[in-house]
């Protein structure tokens, strides 16, 4: 279907106006941050401009959310810097060892989180490099350096907050509502295909599942956009959880016995009604009927291995700099820590380092053009503001791209140009320092890439196998976290599938089939167990206990026998007993299907 003209966003030079407004806001916030920093005579005005570059996000809520985590992480990082230098002030080598260990701990924490929380974790790590390591020869100045950095970051946060509020403000909530509604329509189309017995489309199921789970970090930012933000965020969370439940109900509609298939159809309609209620609550800014959480699956073993590798990379770089004995090597080591930390928040840390190695000379060329050709010795602030415009706006336009590579390249250039330019009052123009700084940055990226080649990051295959092992183990335990609803546990399992796919799981058909089988079994087992809890106290308590024991043992024949007895005791077709009977039949069918798909049984 061809989109109408009204559906096409208005563009300037084939770039959406929304991207232009975002880029202009970034430039204005950068100029405001520098102006205030110069006016207050802060010691680190570059840090305020860098804060704007790092916090550059398309919507107001995302910016404020990231700013809050950046401020918190800076406090933690400054505290860690003071503690490390206070304990090891007389031993440089021990400071570097403690720094490597601290960064490893922060990477471990980042791997257990997502979104801006993961960013805050790694920021807490590399902040020690920017403060303690760079002051390794003057540990008595760590506190002063930390306070100066904190003041500059505060100015940067306030600058971008003011600009985003007063100029072209953009909120995530309208887009979030439209995105959830669009996903709901596609889920209904997927369910309609299941009703008409069309061949199951696993690719469509996985695509929808990933899109729903990917909304999790953005949903949190909605809470900061208005006074009703917390209500809208809760409604959006509940809608996301309900969408996963409806999608799974549609998936289970195929290849079931007649009775179970009828129950699955009723369950699908119930889930669809829940999604519509949550979307209506989001639209009208009222609390949803059920406030669900969106828990994230955490792989502790993979996180620990990633943290140990990150610590080893920094330790290798530290030993190289100690052996080389280069002056100003602490600056280069800080860049190693920064790239290591930020790379930990990406699916491919080594690929991120490679982009840094390629992007650093490009950013150096751009910064050199700005400093020595455009400004060329100028010392007036208006000239700095005008000269910075094309570079900041251009990088921000790239950052707003939906292409991950271009977006990352834009972010990288936006920050590194500020690092190399190092705006100050008055502005200094020293070609020798500029070249040395560029060389140290290139060496840092090359050294980190060599360390990652020597000790590779956790491989995609290992990550997939660990996630699959965790899915198997959780299925055997048959349970979910205390206080966690079956729908919330389902969302957590969906996030594990998303992580599996991010590790290249779509190409591993056998492992993917087993992962989906575990997902199907866990979903139905939890749901049926929850329904049986309704009979925990009453005349059918013993029958319910027998059914729950059969669920634990995965005994499909007993499940069907208990289902038959529940059906006989049902006073009418739509009673609770009849509902439980159909759910038990469905569970037995899923258990049988899981056994047929079990690779260990096939091998036997």
């Amino acid at each position: 279907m061809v989109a109408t003209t009204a559906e096409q966003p208005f563009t300037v030079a084939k770039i959406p106006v929304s991207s232009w407004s975002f880029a202009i806001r970034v430039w204005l916030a950068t100029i405001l941050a520098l102006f205030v920093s110069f006016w207050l005579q802060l010691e680190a005005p570059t840090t305020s401009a860098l804060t704007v570059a790092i916090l550059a996000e398309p919507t107001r809520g995302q910016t404020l959310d990231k700013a809050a985590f950046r401020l918190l992480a800076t406090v933690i990082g400054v505290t860690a810097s003071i503690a490390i230098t206070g304990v090891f002030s007389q031993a440089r080598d021990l400071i570097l060892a403690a720094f490597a260990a601290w960064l490893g701990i922060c990477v471990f924490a980042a791997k257990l989180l997502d979104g801006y929380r993961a960013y805050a974790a790694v920021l807490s790590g590399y902040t020690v490099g920017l403060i303690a390591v760079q002051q390794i020869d003057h540990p008595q100045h760590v506190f002063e350096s930390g306070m100066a950095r904190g003041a500059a970051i505060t100015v940067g946060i306030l600058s971008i907050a003011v600009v985003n509020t007063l100029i072209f403000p953009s909120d995530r909530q309208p887009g979030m509502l439209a995105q959830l509604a669009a996903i709901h329509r596609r889920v209904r189309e997927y369910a309609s295909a299941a009703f008409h017995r069309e061949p199951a489309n696993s690719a469509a199921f996985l695509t929808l599942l990933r899109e729903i789970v990917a909304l999790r970090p953005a949903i949190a930012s909605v809470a900061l956009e208005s006074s009703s933000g917390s209500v809208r965020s809760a409604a959006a969370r509940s809608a996301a959880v309900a969408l996963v439940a409806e999608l799974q109900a549609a998936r289970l509609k195929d290849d079931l016995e007649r009775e179970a298939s009828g129950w699955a159809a009723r369950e699908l309609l119930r889930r669809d009604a829940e999604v519509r209620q949550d979307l209506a609550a989001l639209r009208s800014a009222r609390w949803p009927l059920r406030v669900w959480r969106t828990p994230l699956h955490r792989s502790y073993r993979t996180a620990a291995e990633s943290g140990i590798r990150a610590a080893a990379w920094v330790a290798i770089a530290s030993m190289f700099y100690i052996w080389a004995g280069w002056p100003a090597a602490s600056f280069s080591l800080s860049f190693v820590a920064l790239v290591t930390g930020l790379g930990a928040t990406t699916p491919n840390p080594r690929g991120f380092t490679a982009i840094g190695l390629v992007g650093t000379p490009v950013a150096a060329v751009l910064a050199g053009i700005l400093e020595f050709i455009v400004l060329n010795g100028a010392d007036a602030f208006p000239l700095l503001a005008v000269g910075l415009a094309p570079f900041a706006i251009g990088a921000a336009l790239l950052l707003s791209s939906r292409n991950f590579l271009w977006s990352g390249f834009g972010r990288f250039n936006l920050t590194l140009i500020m690092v190399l330019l190092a705006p100050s009052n008055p502005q200094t123009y020293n070609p020798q320092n500029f070249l040395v700084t560029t060389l140290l940055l290139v060496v840092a990226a090359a050294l980190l890439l060599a360390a990652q080649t020597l000790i590779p990051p956790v491989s995609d295959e290992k990550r997939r196998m660990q996630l699959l092992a965790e899915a198997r183990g959780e299925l055997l335990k048959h349970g979910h976290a205390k206080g966690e609803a079956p729908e919330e546990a389902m969302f957590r399992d969906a996030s594990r599938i998303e992580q599996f796919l991010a590790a290249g799981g779509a190409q591993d058909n056998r492992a993917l089939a087993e992962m989906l089988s575990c997902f199907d079994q866990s979903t139905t087992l939890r749901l049926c167990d929850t329904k049986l809890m309704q009979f925990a106290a009453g005349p059918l308590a013993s029958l319910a206990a027998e059914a729950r024991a059969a669920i634990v043992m995965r005994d499909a024949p007993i499940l069907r026998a208990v289902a038959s007895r529940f059906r006989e005791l049902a006073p009418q077709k739509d009673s609770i007993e009849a509902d439980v009977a159909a759910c038990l039949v469905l569970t037995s069918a899923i258990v049988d299907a899981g056994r047929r798909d079990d690779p260990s049984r096939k091998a036997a």
Side-chain angles (χ1 to χ4, degrees), residues 363-378 383-392 417-418 420-423 427 429 434:
V365 171
L366 294 174
I369 293 173
L370 172 60
E371 184 169 357
F372 300 107
I373 297 179
V374 176
L375 297 178
N376 192 24
L383 294 179
L384 173 63
V386 174
L388 193 59
F391 298 90
I417 286 175
M418 292 299 169
L420 292 169
L421 177 63
Q427 182 68 34
Y429 295 91
F434 182 88

Side-chain angles (χ1 to χ4, degrees), residues 555-574:
D555 195 327
I558 292 182
L559 286 173
R560 283 189 285 269
V562 174
S564 178
R565 293 168 63 185
F566 265 109
R567 193 183 306 113
E568 293 172 358
L569 296 171
Q572 51 190 10
K573 291 184 178 181
D574 58 349

Side-chain angles (χ1 to χ4, degrees), residues 90-447:
Q90 304 302 318
R92 292 161 50 104
D93 294 349
L94 290 179
I95 288 179
L96 294 177
F99 169 51
W102 170 252
L103 186 65
I105 292 171
C106 292
V107 169
F108 166 76
K111 288 295 183 180
L112 300 178
L113 303 168
D114 66 343
Y116 301 139
R117 290 170 176 80
Y119 161 73
V122 297
L123 174 61
S124 301
Y126 69 71
T127 294
V128 175
L130 298 173
I131 297 177
V133 173
Q134 290 198 27
Q135 297 291 337
I136 195 169
D137 294 324
H138 307 283
Q140 68 275 14
H141 294 157
V142 167
F143 180 79
E144 298 174 8
S145 177
M147 293 301 100
R149 179 175 173 80
I153 287 175
T154 302
V155 169
I157 290 173
L158 293 176
S159 297
I160 197 168
V162 168
V163 170
N164 279 345
T165 301
L166 300 179
I167 303 175
F168 311 128
S170 177
D171 289 337
R172 186 72 178 87
Q173 184 270 325
M176 177 68 67
L177 176 59
Q179 198 168 0
L180 287 170
I183 292 175
H184 184 215
R185 286 192 296 270
R186 291 163 58 200
V187 170
R188 287 171 64 90
E189 292 171 1
Y190 178 85
S192 178
F195 265 108
H196 292 89
R197 293 295 182 181
E198 296 179 13
N201 189 344
S202 295
F205 172 81
L206 294 173
T207 299
L208 287 166
L209 197 70
R210 294 191 73 177
E211 289 183 14
I212 298 169
V213 173
L215 292 174
R216 182 182 182 275
I219 288 174
S221 66
V222 174
L224 301 175
E225 291 183 345
S226 64
S227 58
S228 61
S230 58
V231 177
R232 294 183 186 274
S233 181
R237 282 198 312 271
S238 297
V241 173
L243 278 170
V244 171
E246 182 180 2
L247 184 62
Q248 177 63 356
R251 172 178 166 79
L252 295 178
K253 180 71 176 62
D254 289 324
D255 301 325
L256 297 175
E257 298 177 21
R258 181 176 180 181
E259 179 183 4
S261 180
W263 179 87
R266 294 192 297 273
E267 183 71 7
L268 178 61
L269 293 175
R270 182 175 71 86
R271 296 297 189 186
D272 184 72
E274 290 176 348
V275 174
R276 286 188 279 107
Q277 291 169 0
D278 291 332
L279 290 178
L282 175 59
R283 189 176 294 107
S284 59
R286 55 181 174 80
W287 286 102
L289 297 179
R290 307 152 308 279
V291 179
W292 280 328
R293 297 168 297 172
T294 52
L296 178 71
H297 175 74
R298 295 180 170 88
S299 181
Y300 288 91
R301 181 171 179 176
T302 301
E305 292 183 3
S306 298
I308 292 172
R309 282 168 165 79
W313 298 335
V314 174
I316 291 172
S318 300
M319 289 187 289
F320 173 82
Y321 287 125
I322 292 173
W323 171 79
W326 289 351
S330 58
F331 172 78
S332 189
L333 181 58
S334 299
F335 189 68
V336 170
L338 187 147
V339 176
T340 299
L342 295 180
T345 63
T346 67
N348 186 356
R350 188 158 50 185
F352 182 83
T353 305
I355 292 176
L357 182 59
V358 174
T360 299
V362 176
V365 171
L366 294 174
I369 293 173
L370 172 60
E371 184 169 357
F372 300 107
I373 297 179
V374 176
L375 297 178
N376 192 24
D379 198 30
F381 185 80
L383 294 179
L384 173 63
V386 174
L388 193 59
F391 298 90
I393 292 175
L397 287 175
L398 288 177
L399 196 158
S400 64
S401 171
R402 293 185 179 182
N403 183 288
F404 177 78
L405 182 61
W406 285 115
S407 178
F409 189 72
R411 174 83 67 183
F412 193 84
N413 274 276
L414 188 61
T415 55
L416 207 58
I417 286 175
M418 292 299 169
V419 171
L420 292 169
L421 177 63
S424 59
N425 187 22
Q427 182 68 34
T428 58
Y429 295 91
N430 190 323
Q432 183 177 352
N433 286 346
F434 182 88
L435 292 175
V436 170
T437 301
T438 301
L439 176 62
L440 289 174
L441 293 177
V442 172
V443 169
L447 183 58

Side-chain angles (χ1 to χ4, degrees), residues 468 472 510-511 514 594-604:
L468 185 56
R472 292 175 186 147
R510 182 175 177 180
E514 187 177 357
R595 288 182 173 178
R596 289 194 300 269
D597 295 336
D598 190 342
S600 62
R601 289 179 175 270
K602 291 182 179 180

Side-chain angles (χ1 to χ4, degrees), residues 533-550:
M533 288 296 294
Q534 299 175 84
F535 300 96
L540 299 179
S542 59
L543 191 59
E546 184 180 354
R548 297 183 69 193

